[in-house]
Amino acid sequence: VCYVSPSPLTIYLATDGVLVRRDVMNLASVTDSLGREIRWKSVLIMIPVRLGLQTMNPAYISTLKAFLRHPCSAGFLGGRPGHSSYIIGYQDESVFMLDPHLVQEAVDCQRHPLPVESFHVKQPLQTPLVSLDPSLVLGFVCKSREEFNDFCINLDEMQRDSISPIVSVEDIRPGYLTPDTLEEDIRVVRGLFEN
């Protein structure tokens, strides 16, 4: 699902774990009236995945770690069953998470020195990777065409130890991902940004 935004950041939501290169290129490439690329918009790539039936399949752990290490990683949305979190990194076999439900006071960015208390937590949340809920949204930000191309190449390398790839990259949309089947997804994504 592609959402074209007037801002310098645009969003691509993969379907069925498939990242379609052409869709991302069309979404992020700003062209002139002759179709020549003028500039590239940064693109947030969101990939919803399910990595187990009831619990996380441990076979995917090394791939999740590789994804978090990648320079384009924006972290994951997920957490423990019944508790959503923003997963930002890992150490050994545990992930570090931020709680999006923790309300912070607004910061006056004009104040000097800048009050940074609202940007920090005293103790980051931590949980074993295997105890994560198997439903996650993987996030990556590609700021340039070159970064996006490198990211697509790196995806295969990051998944080499996995029993099955979590994400596949296709040059064009597979036949089962036709525009008709994606229409509802597009409406949902647009609704997120219009409210």
Side-chain angles (χ1 to χ4, degrees), residues 2 14 25 31 66 95 98 102-103 121 150 176 193:
C2 305
M25 298 289 231
T31 58
V95 290
L98 298 176
L102 180 64
V103 178
V121 292
D150 289 344
Y176 65 90
F193 295 95

Side-chain angles (χ1 to χ4, degrees), residues 108-124:
D108 179 1
C109 294
Q110 304 303 316
R111 228 172 89 198
H112 293 286
L114 183 65
V116 295
E117 301 80 33
S118 181
F119 299 108
H120 299 279
V121 292
K122 290 179 175 56
Q123 182 76 30

